[in-house]
Amino acid sequence: MQEFVNLGRGEALKRDAFVRICDFKEIYELLDKDVAKEQSSRCIGCANPFCHSKCPLGNFIPFWLRSNASENLEQAFKISNETNPFPEITGRVCPQDRLCEGACTLNDGYGAVMIGPIETFITEEGLKRGYKLICDTPKMDKKVAIIGSGPAGISAATYLLRAGVDVSMYEADDLPGGLLRYGIPGFKLDKSIVDRRFEILKEAGLKIFTNCEVGKDIEFDDVANSHDALFVAIGARKAKKANILNEEALGCFEALDFLTAIQKGVDIGLKDKKILVIGGGDTAMDCVRSAVRCGAKEVLCAYRRDKSSMGGSKKEFINADEEGVKFIFNASPKEVRVNDNGEVVGVIAQKTSLNAKKLDIIKNSEFNIACDIVVFALGFSVLAPKFLVENGVELSESGQIVVDRQFQSKSCGIYAGGDCVSGADLVVSAANDGKMAAKAIISSFL
C-alpha cells in the first residue's frame, strides 16, 4: 500500500468519441487485473478515511482496496458487497468526483485513488469467478412487498433476502430496474448489468411482477393484506416545469420521457434535427449524449448559470464536450417559439449573471436559440399515488412521503425510501435508503 509515491493516478480507458457516438455501448473499459491491483495499492489507508465518510452507503473503501492490492479478490468482493447492494452499478454511475474520490486525501497533489473503476472491477471479476452474493439463509417466515424496482427497491430486496425474508416486487413498467433501466442510458450502464442483478435476486427468491401497477392492476389492500410490511420505492418521476410560454408545444419533451423513449427504442424523430436541452445536471448530460447517438444534426445545452456551477459529474460534462455537444452558459429560457403549426422553431433566452450566488436576469438581453426539439431537464418531484394518503401515509407540502428515522411512515408497516422520500437524488443515496429501511423492517420482525 501507499504506492502513491511511485504511481500516479490512472484513468479508465474509454472508447474514442468518434466511435462511441455511433452506438449506446458503455464507453469505459473494465480495468485490467494488474492495473486494478496497482491502483488499489496507491491507497494510504487513512486512520479516518474521508472516502468512507463521504460515501452515502458508508462503504469500507480502504479495506477492499487493501484486499485487492494484496490479490485477495474474494475478500475484496465480500467487503465491497457487504455494504453496497450493487457495487458494479455504483462504480459505473456514481459521481465519484463529488463523493469518495473527491474526498480522497491524495487529491492534495497526488491525484485521488480511482475508486469507481476499481469498485466495478472487483465485483465484475468476482462474479466472473463465480463468487456468491446471497448465501442460503434460514427463513424468517415473513413477507415484504416492495412497490417499485429502482435503486431503492433493489437495495431493500437485497438486504431483506439476505436476512431470509420473502420478497415480492411490483413494477408498473414492462421490465424491472426503474431509473437504472430507463433513466440512465446504456453508454453509462449496459442493461445486461441490471438484468444480471435481478437474476441474482430471483435466484435468491425474489418474486417480480412487472406490468403491475399497484392501485390500478392490483389493489393496494390485496398487496398490504398478504404481506407483513411494505416498502414504497416509487421514485420521483414528475418533471419540474420551466413555466414558460409554449413549453407543451409539439417538439417539447420532459427529460425522463425523452430518455425512456430512447431506451425503449422508440423513434421520436431526432435524426438530422437541432436539439436543445435545458439544464445542467447529469440528467441533462444523459439527454444531450443520447441525442448525439440518435443522429441529431446539432445538440446544444443551455444552462442558466456558469460552467463552474453545473451540478453534475465533471466526467459527464467532459464526455459530452468530447462528443460534440455545444454549451450555452448564463442563459435562462423565457419562451419556446413555435410556427403556425405549433411546432418548435426555437427558444428565446435571457442572459444571466451571478451576484454572490444569486442569479440575476440581465434586462433587455433576450436572444434566440434556433432548434427543432426542446428537452427540459430541470429536475423531478414526487407524484404519490392516492392509495398512500388513503391509507394514512403523510406527504410533505412538496408531495414527498414523510418517514421517521427508521424509514417508517405514520401508517404502521408501510416504509418508504429513495427519491419518493428525499426528492430526486443520487442512485447511491437511494441505495442507502433501501438498505437502512430493510434493516429497520428486519428489526421490527425480531
Side-chain angles (χ1 to χ4, degrees):
M1 300 298 286
Q2 301 189 2
E3 285 295 317
F4 67 93
V5 176
N6 303 313
L7 290 170
R9 173 186 165 88
E11 293 295 339
L13 297 177
K14 58 183 176 182
R15 295 190 294 147
D16 185 271
F18 292 105
V19 175
R20 67 185 192 237
I21 62 172
C22 297
D23 58 51
F24 277 83
K25 296 178 182 178
E26 288 188 5
I27 74 167
Y28 289 100
E29 297 180 14
L30 291 176
L31 293 184
D32 175 84
K33 175 185 174 182
D34 293 334
V35 173
K37 174 187 174 182
E38 289 179 350
Q39 289 296 317
S40 296
S41 71
R42 294 185 69 244
C43 176
I44 64 176
C46 301
N48 181 20
F50 299 126
C51 58
H52 162 77
S53 302
K54 192 68 173 179
C55 175
L57 280 165
N59 289 329
F60 301 126
I61 297 168
F63 293 96
W64 49 253
L65 285 172
R66 182 182 299 117
S67 297
N68 191 59
S70 303
E71 297 190 78
N72 190 343
L73 181 71
E74 186 169 10
Q75 180 170 284
F77 179 86
K78 289 179 179 179
I79 296 172
S80 180
N81 280 276
E82 177 65 28
T83 57
N84 192 335
F86 36 66
E88 78 286 8
I89 292 177
T90 56
R92 285 173 164 92
V93 305
C94 268
Q96 285 92 7
D97 58 287
R98 290 163 49 197
L99 300 173
C100 53
E101 292 184 14
C104 179
T105 302
L106 292 179
N107 260 328
D108 188 13
Y110 291 93
V113 176
M114 50 192 305
I115 296 169
I118 297 171
E119 179 179 47
T120 302
F121 164 80
I122 289 171
T123 292
E124 288 291 349
E125 184 64 20
L127 291 174
K128 182 179 177 181
R129 296 187 187 185
Y131 298 159
K132 298 296 183 183
L133 287 168
I134 303 176
C135 300
D136 293 333
T137 305
K139 293 292 185 179
M140 291 186 69
D141 193 29
K142 295 291 182 179
K143 296 191 293 184
V144 174
I146 297 177
I147 303 176
S149 65
I154 297 172
S155 180
T158 299
Y159 289 95
L160 289 167
L161 289 166
R162 288 183 186 180
V165 177
D166 289 328
V167 182
S168 298
M169 181 178 283
Y170 298 85
E171 169 55 53
D173 222 319
D174 59 335
L175 292 171
L179 174 72
L180 299 179
R181 183 173 297 279
Y182 293 125
I184 297 177
F187 51 77
K188 289 171 61 176
L189 177 64
D190 190 274
K191 303 315 159 190
S192 65
I193 306 300
V194 180
D195 291 335
R196 183 179 61 192
R197 267 290 160 174
F198 277 104
E199 287 304 315
I200 290 170
L201 294 177
K202 286 193 287 186
E203 287 176 7
L206 175 67
K207 296 179 181 178
I208 305 176
F209 302 93
T210 55
N211 290 313
C212 188
E213 182 178 347
V214 176
K216 180 181 178 181
D217 300 305
I218 185 172
E219 292 298 323
F220 174 79
D221 287 346
D222 291 339
V223 176
N225 293 335
S226 58
H227 295 84
D228 299 293
L230 291 93
F231 178 63
V232 181
I234 56 176
R237 299 181 60 88
K238 183 181 178 182
K240 293 183 178 179
K241 298 293 185 179
N243 296 317
I244 60 176
L245 185 64
N246 297 324
E247 66 180 320
E248 302 289 344
L250 186 63
C252 289
F253 292 88
E254 295 172 353
L256 194 53
D257 291 340
F258 181 80
L259 292 171
T260 298
I262 293 173
Q263 291 297 309
K264 289 186 174 183
V266 178
D267 184 0
I268 52 177
L270 304 183
K271 187 173 176 57
D272 297 327
K273 298 293 180 64
K274 189 171 183 178
I275 317 296
L276 172 65
V277 176
I278 299 173
D282 282 345
T283 299
M285 298 305 100
D286 291 344
C287 290
V288 294
R289 297 179 65 199
S290 294
V292 168
R293 286 161 172 78
C294 288
K297 177 174 62 177
E298 185 177 18
V299 181
L300 307 172
C301 180
Y303 181 52
R304 61 179 182 165
R305 297 178 182 271
D306 58 23
K307 177 180 175 181
S308 64
S309 302
M310 294 181 76
S313 172
K314 291 179 182 178
K315 68 179 181 181
E316 294 307 317
F317 170 79
I318 292 171
N319 288 333
D321 183 57
E322 290 175 349
E323 293 168 6
V325 176
K326 298 178 181 178
F327 291 86
I328 305 171
F329 295 106
N330 297 107
S332 179
K334 181 182 180 181
E335 174 186 339
V336 176
R337 293 178 56 243
V338 298
N339 59 20
D340 293 340
N341 296 321
E343 300 167 330
V344 171
V345 295
V347 168
I348 296 175
Q350 297 171 296
K351 294 181 180 179
T352 67
S353 64
L354 286 174
N355 183 15
K357 294 186 178 182
K358 178 185 177 184
L359 186 73
D360 293 323
I361 301 293
I362 299 175
K363 292 183 179 179
N364 302 317
S365 64
E366 289 85 356
F367 65 101
N368 180 60
I369 305 174
C371 60
D372 307 301
I373 301 287
V374 179
V375 182
F376 294 99
L378 304 174
F380 307 93
S381 57
V382 182
L383 184 61
K386 291 182 180 179
F387 65 74
L388 291 178
V389 177
E390 293 171 351
N391 284 275
V393 174
E394 181 184 356
L395 303 181
S396 68
E397 291 184 2
S398 57
Q400 294 159 212
I401 300 173
V402 177
V403 297
D404 60 21
R405 292 184 178 181
Q406 300 301 311
F407 292 89
Q408 184 168 204
S409 72
K410 285 195 173 181
S411 182
C412 184
I414 301 179
Y415 297 76
D419 290 357
C420 64
V421 169
S422 61
D425 204 346
L426 301 173
V427 167
V428 68
S429 299
N432 188 58
D433 280 8
K435 177 173 72 172
M436 300 310 294
K439 291 183 177 180
I441 293 170
I442 293 165
S443 295
S444 73
F445 293 155
L446 299 178

